[in-house]
Amino acid sequence: MKVTCIGEMLIDFVCTDTNAGLVKGYNFVKKPGGAPANVAACIGKLGGEPLLVAAVGNDPFGRYLIDEVSHYHVKTQNISVLKSSTSLAFVSLSDDGEREFAFNRGADEKLRLSKVQIEKLLDDSILHLGSATALLGGNLSESYMDIAKEAYKKGNIICFDPNFRIDLWNGNEDNFREKCEAYFAMADVVKVSDDELFLLSQANDIESGCDYFHSKGVKILLVTLGSKGCLVSQGKKQYIVPAYKVTAIDTTGAGDSFIGALLFKMSKHSPNDDFYASQMKEFVAFAEKVSGLVCSKLGAMTALPAMQEINSMEFIVNEAD
């Protein structure tokens, strides 16, 4: 199967002055980014068939992004080039790899899809909804919902990553939760961090939080736990797949590479009658390897490993408490 990824495509300007923050940082490196673009690039780098649906500006940054993702075997015919400027994100890093963001939105919010485009995009495809900006409004929000509804009606597998960014929703978290609920009702697979699980479910413990998502109809919930690994919840069955030891340099794109690697595995296998239940542990362990390698390098897309690198590495399970 193909994997269709829809949402923002942007430039990450990564501050190379560690611990300086965006206020005091002066030196920045240009990197290709945007969560859906990162996911698509990961799938392509691993040998899958990603379709990227996005909008960039008719400017040097837009041309750079299209050229870059094509190097990762991402099909770019559904990337719109508009008069608006390309969206930008500025990122600073601390010693432990954690990030501070600032966004300048441009062309990404003006993406518009026709019914004919949506039909073609969903043909024999998993739909991944992992945009950080798609719920903010504009044409992108409408197209995001339109393709989700059509995929749900057609029975496509739908994966949803809320991709909460405090910089975009600070003080407006209730609105974010409300918008996400519509997608939980359609999604088969949802990926959240532990912080996102508590924010979105309003639960006091992980078990209750998992119950919330399953009550909405989610078949598989993936809760990323950083160095502790990933909690997989399939209804009443829950287990943790441990992470692998890495020296984190930059966590930008860690979640995107995780879900990209998982979707790559899903696209290569049939869901069978148990909807991947018997395969999910193996898929998540593979995704943990890919995500760990991405964290050990600078950049989101540029840090993506190929299958040969993954197979040649010796991975040691992290024994973090």
Side-chain angles (χ1 to χ4, degrees):
M1 284 185 286
K2 303 187 298 292
V3 182
T4 297
C5 306
I6 174 173
E8 75 274 6
M9 189 180 185
L10 49 78
I11 303 289
D12 283 325
F13 283 100
V14 182
C15 182
T16 56
D17 304 319
T18 306
N19 295 322
L22 293 178
V23 174
K24 296 182 179 180
Y26 285 97
N27 300 292
F28 291 82
V29 176
K30 180 180 70 173
K31 298 283 185 180
N38 292 337
V39 172
C42 180
I43 295 166
K45 188 77 178 278
L46 292 171
E49 296 182 64
L51 299 179
L52 181 57
V53 188
V56 298
N58 187 15
D59 55 27
F61 292 144
R63 292 191 288 275
Y64 163 76
L65 284 170
I66 292 173
D67 185 56
E68 282 296 301
V69 296
S70 66
H71 295 156
Y72 295 87
H73 312 291
V74 175
K75 295 180 180 179
T76 61
Q77 64 264 37
N78 295 292
I79 298 174
S80 301
V81 179
L82 308 178
K83 292 181 180 179
S84 302
S85 59
T86 299
S87 298
L88 309 176
F90 296 85
V91 189
S92 68
L93 306 172
S94 59
D95 281 330
D96 61 2
E98 287 305 310
R99 306 157 290 170
E100 178 187 4
F101 282 97
F103 287 89
N104 273 342
R105 290 199 77 191
D108 78 276
E109 67 179 319
K110 298 183 179 177
L111 176 70
R112 189 186 297 275
L113 295 178
S114 68
K115 289 183 179 180
V116 173
Q117 283 178 293
I118 289 173
E119 287 280 343
K120 290 181 179 179
L121 289 167
L122 293 177
D123 182 36
D124 190 33
S125 182
I126 296 172
L127 175 64
H128 175 59
L129 304 166
S131 171
T133 65
L135 305 184
L136 292 170
N139 295 340
L140 173 58
S141 289
E142 295 176 14
S143 295
Y144 208 66
M145 179 56 76
D146 288 345
I147 196 170
K149 285 182 176 178
E150 187 64 21
Y152 183 69
K153 185 173 76 173
K154 285 179 167 295
N156 291 71
I157 295 171
I158 299 174
C159 175
F160 179 53
D161 179 355
N163 233 323
F164 177 74
R165 293 284 182 267
I166 187 64
D167 314 80
L168 300 177
W169 295 97
N170 195 11
N172 204 17
E173 290 87 350
D174 288 343
N175 187 26
F176 179 75
R177 277 195 295 270
E178 183 180 342
K179 288 178 179 291
C180 284
E181 283 196 353
Y183 293 96
F184 296 149
M186 295 184 280
D188 300 290
V189 180
V190 169
K191 191 226 88 173
V192 292
S193 67
D194 49 352
D195 288 338
E196 287 172 331
L197 177 130
F198 292 120
L199 170 70
L200 292 163
S201 69
Q202 296 289 279
N204 294 319
D205 59 81
I206 286 184
E207 185 176 352
S208 299
C210 292
D211 288 342
Y212 162 82
F213 286 96
H214 292 309
S215 73
K216 300 294 181 182
V218 175
K219 294 184 179 74
I220 297 176
L221 177 69
L222 305 168
V223 186
T224 54
L225 305 171
S227 62
K228 295 180 180 179
C230 178
L231 172 70
V232 180
S233 181
Q234 298 165 301
K236 296 299 180 183
K237 181 182 179 183
Q238 296 179 353
Y239 56 90
I240 291 179
V241 180
Y244 298 92
K245 288 184 178 180
V246 295
T247 301
I249 294 175
D250 179 9
T251 59
T252 305
D256 300 332
S257 60
F258 175 90
I259 202 65
L262 184 93
L263 289 168
F264 164 74
K265 283 290 190 180
M266 288 175 61
S267 71
K268 296 296 183 182
H269 295 79
S270 168
N272 297 324
D273 294 336
D274 66 354
F275 194 78
Y276 298 111
S278 58
Q279 302 161 295
M280 193 52 56
K281 187 173 183 178
E282 174 199 337
F283 293 177
V284 171
F286 175 77
E288 292 277 13
K289 292 177 180 179
V290 174
S291 179
L293 287 174
V294 167
C295 288
S296 68
K297 303 173 187 176
L298 187 65
M301 204 176 292
T302 52
L304 290 168
M307 193 67 78
Q308 183 178 2
E309 180 182 356
I310 299 164
N311 291 337
S312 65
M313 292 285 292
E314 182 178 349
F315 292 89
I316 301 173
V317 171
N318 189 16
E319 301 293 344
D321 295 330

